Amino acid sequence: MSLKAGIIGLPNVGKSTLFNAITGQDILAANYPFATIEPNVGVVLVPDNRVDYLSDLYKPKKTIYATFEFTDIAGLVAGAAQGEGLGNKFLSHIREVDALCEVVRCFENSNITHVSGNIDPVRDADVINLELILADLEVVQNRLARAGKKGKLSGDKNTIKEINLLEKIEETLLDNKPIRSLTFDEEEDKILKSFNFLTKKPIIYIANVNEDEVNKENNYVKALKEYANKEDASVIVISAKIEEELSKLETEEKNLFLEELGINESGLDKLVKEAYSLLGLATYLTAGTDEVRAWTFKRGMKAPECAGIIHTDFEKGFIKAEIMSFEDLKKYGTELKVRENGKVRLEGKDYIMQDGDICHFRFNK
């Protein structure tokens, strides 16, 4: 299951520095607008102690972690929705991602130019969000202009439902609120899927701070949190510079560095966890001497759908899923002891997969 998060923000807020750090890529991180024009894509491994444990236990030929794809999208500016600063191109790249990670500058540095001349995280977040709202509004109004009155007079139930839905969305956008502030039923979600609206995508705000403020909550971060709370969004505090340093270290050195800083986990770990939570994702595992692997699935998916993530044939020919929980395996120490204690179970087509399930799928070839 390929999942993408787009890293967005104004120019010179630390997007590319953060992207370099979390993906280990050395792309241009320059101190002027539009240093990044084409989106840079990087795939990161999702840290998972359960995979480490299973790998130590089974000593497999291969260990494969879940992955998450990050796209570094060039800095947006005011007027992007009208094409300013290569805006239309950038907005098209944003449409391709599943979630938005909006980097907001929350640090002072006279050597790094700010496009507006001073630091104001709320204004900066507003600039980005307004451009996304305007881009969605244009899509909605174009569709209503084409389908509007004629659509309602046609008597077609599906067309009327779509128009009514878009009118509700138009009203919300005109009130400068994102589409994600509304709730939709399953049928409405299906209608909206083809539009790929920017402000319907879930969002995480990343407060980029100086190295010495990563354990503090400066006034800029406080202001951003108040802003994010209004739309029930989360804020992760990260120092892109620290993440850059961490990316160059081996695991043991990295842990020592984090300990010295008084940090429990890296910004990348926090970001991936929050992105998983935001998108309603979880992980099931497969384990054996050939391979230990983590598989990403959407919470609420049933066993056959999860089997299909491995191969479509697994879903088509699904018979049963043999399942034990990671916690039981850790408790009893071996797969044999888990079985002896009656903790391995067979689940059918209606079983809803749980995070941490260790699975073996039975299927007809």
Side-chain angles (χ1 to χ4, degrees):
M1 181 178 283
S2 179
L3 296 150
K4 299 178 183 178
I7 301 177
I8 63 171
L10 292 173
N12 302 343
V13 296
K15 290 188 303 82
S16 294
T17 301
L18 180 63
F19 178 84
N20 287 346
I22 63 179
T23 63
Q25 294 195 33
D26 186 18
I27 62 167
L28 181 62
N31 182 25
Y32 56 89
F34 317 124
T36 311
I37 297 175
E38 292 300 326
N40 296 282
V41 178
V43 177
V44 300
L45 300 180
V46 177
D48 195 328
N49 292 332
R50 297 170 301 186
V51 176
D52 300 333
Y53 180 90
L54 293 174
S55 190
D56 286 341
L57 183 66
Y58 286 93
K59 303 289 189 290
K61 294 171 188 172
K62 287 191 295 183
T63 298
I64 303 173
Y65 292 81
T67 58
F68 205 94
E69 193 172 290
F70 284 96
T71 303
D72 178 35
I73 296 165
L76 292 168
V77 293
Q82 284 75 46
E84 291 294 326
L86 304 177
N88 290 331
K89 194 171 187 181
F90 300 163
L91 291 167
S92 71
H93 294 320
I94 298 172
R95 292 196 189 280
E96 297 168 12
V97 303
D98 302 301
L100 304 176
C101 300
E102 186 171 327
V103 182
V104 183
R105 181 170 168 176
C106 293
F107 66 90
E108 297 275 3
N109 188 328
S110 58
N111 295 319
I112 300 177
T113 308
H114 190 290
V115 289
S116 300
N118 67 310
I119 312 301
D120 184 340
V122 171
R123 176 204 58 211
D124 293 354
D126 258 339
V127 167
I128 296 294
N129 294 336
L130 180 59
E131 293 310 318
L132 302 183
I133 283 170
L134 290 172
D136 281 348
L137 186 60
E138 183 181 7
V139 172
V140 169
Q141 291 180 334
N142 284 344
R143 174 59 183 155
L144 287 174
R146 290 196 304 272
K149 290 180 180 178
K150 286 184 181 177
K152 284 194 172 182
L153 291 171
S154 70
D156 181 75
K157 288 182 180 179
N158 291 333
T159 304
I160 293 168
K161 188 172 179 69
E162 180 189 310
I163 292 166
N164 289 336
L165 181 58
L166 290 177
E167 284 176 345
K168 180 173 78 171
I169 287 171
E170 181 185 32
E171 189 179 327
T172 299
L173 294 171
L174 286 170
D175 198 26
N176 282 346
K177 292 178 183 175
I179 295 171
R180 61 179 166 271
S181 64
L182 298 169
T183 53
F184 304 102
D185 60 32
E186 196 174 330
E187 192 178 346
E188 287 173 331
D189 267 327
K190 281 181 183 176
I191 294 170
L192 297 179
K193 195 171 183 180
S194 63
F195 290 96
N196 210 1
F197 286 121
L198 302 174
T199 66
K200 191 174 184 293
K201 298 178 188 296
I203 191 167
I204 301 168
Y205 292 97
I206 301 173
N208 186 17
V209 300
N210 281 321
E211 297 96 306
D212 59 351
E213 293 184 310
V214 74
N215 277 329
K216 302 173 186 174
E217 192 173 276
N218 67 31
N219 289 332
Y220 297 134
V221 173
K222 287 176 184 175
L224 182 61
K225 283 187 174 180
E226 285 178 16
Y227 177 88
N229 282 341
K230 291 175 184 175
E231 57 171 307
D232 201 25
S234 60
V235 175
I236 292 176
V237 180
I238 285 179
S239 167
K241 283 294 182 185
I242 287 177
E243 295 303 314
E244 194 172 35
E245 289 178 52
L246 285 170
S247 69
K248 297 168 185 172
L249 301 176
E250 297 297 327
T251 304
E252 198 170 319
E253 293 175 309
K254 189 181 291 185
N255 291 336
L256 284 171
F257 184 43
L258 287 171
E259 196 176 316
E260 285 173 18
L261 293 168
I263 303 171
N264 295 325
E265 58 185 346
S266 71
L268 170 60
D269 290 355
K270 288 192 287 185
L271 181 56
V272 169
K273 282 180 184 176
E274 190 60 38
Y276 259 57
S277 173
L278 192 68
L279 291 169
L281 305 178
T283 303
Y284 77 83
L285 306 142
T286 51
T289 52
D290 282 338
E291 179 184 277
V292 164
R293 184 163 183 166
W295 302 88
T296 301
F297 68 98
K298 289 244 182 192
R299 290 187 183 275
M301 285 177 71
K302 293 183 178 179
E305 296 174 279
C306 288
I309 293 169
I310 298 175
H311 198 287
T312 51
D313 288 348
F314 284 24
E315 182 174 5
K316 289 174 186 172
F318 180 89
I319 301 171
K320 293 282 183 184
E322 187 177 276
I323 291 173
M324 60 179 163
S325 76
F326 172 79
E327 291 305 321
D328 282 337
L329 180 59
K330 194 173 180 181
K331 177 181 176 181
Y332 295 108
T334 68
E335 190 174 324
L336 178 61
K337 287 183 179 176
V338 176
R339 290 182 184 279
E340 287 173 350
N341 282 275
K343 296 295 183 178
V344 175
R345 60 192 191 276
L346 286 178
E347 300 287 0
K349 292 182 178 181
D350 291 329
Y351 176 69
I352 296 172
M353 197 69 77
Q354 301 299 308
D355 185 62
D357 280 347
I358 301 171
C359 309
H360 174 72
F361 295 108
R362 298 181 184 178
F363 66 102
N364 287 316
K365 293 181 181 179

